[in-house]
Amino acid sequence: YIPGIRVNGMDVLAVRQAIAYARQYAVDGNGPLVLEMKTYRYGGHSMSDPGTTYRTREEVQHMRSTSDPITGYKLRLIETGAASEADLKAIDKEAKRVIDDALAKAKAIPEPDGKELWDDVYVKGSGVPYLRGRVPEETHHY
């Protein structure tokens, strides 16, 4: 039996507190703790499932406008005076710049050889004799 906690996954601070608690629980020697993050999925399950056959666009928009974790956290920061809208806009701008820079660097790197897929999956000497692929012919032996 592994105990667990249900967490409002749409609340940034609730998630942070739950993670801190679970970490301390494990560090204290109590074993693992399951964290069930309750969230709302704005999109469908896949490209072929737009998610509109079993819920309305209005429902999705309502959840996005009332329960979005990023928007909610931004409002908390502003309401408590921890940050201003200008501060948050500057953070967003910097984050986008960092992402754009990282993306440009990643795109400039040549794609690796397919054989490298099997490299560094396990620590050498860890006793793992093979790694299964999608089909038996893709099994890689170390």
Side-chain angles (χ1 to χ4, degrees), residues 20-42:
Y21 178 83
R23 179 194 175 279
Q24 193 59 52
Y25 184 89
V27 167
D28 288 346
N30 297 307
L33 190 62
V34 173
L35 296 174
E36 178 185 1
M37 300 292 171
K38 300 289 283 183
T39 63
Y40 186 86
R41 181 179 31 78
Y42 298 132

Side-chain angles (χ1 to χ4, degrees), residues 1-24:
Y1 171 77
I2 300 175
I5 301 172
R6 184 172 290 157
V7 182
N8 178 0
M10 303 295 275
D11 181 338
V12 172
L13 296 178
V15 170
R16 183 179 187 276
Q17 187 63 35
I19 296 295
Y21 178 83
R23 179 194 175 279
Q24 193 59 52

Side-chain angles (χ1 to χ4, degrees), residues 43-116:
H45 287 91
S46 65
M47 294 299 288
S48 63
D49 169 28
T52 55
T53 56
Y54 44 87
R55 59 187 178 183
T56 65
R57 292 185 192 277
E58 290 78 23
E59 175 191 337
V60 175
Q61 187 57 39
H62 173 73
M63 289 301 293
R64 190 181 297 269
S65 65
T66 61
S67 301
D68 185 75
I70 295 171
T71 303
Y73 190 58
K74 284 181 177 181
L75 288 174
R76 279 186 180 173
L77 292 172
I78 292 167
E79 288 170 359
T80 61
S84 68
E85 275 199 59
D87 294 334
L88 297 177
K89 284 182 182 179
I91 291 169
D92 281 346
K93 187 175 180 179
E94 175 63 11
K96 287 175 185 169
R97 187 197 61 74
V98 168
I99 290 167
D100 288 344
D101 289 352
L103 182 60
K105 286 179 187 174
K107 284 183 175 183
I109 298 171
E111 288 201 24
D113 186 307
K115 291 183 278 182
E116 289 185 38

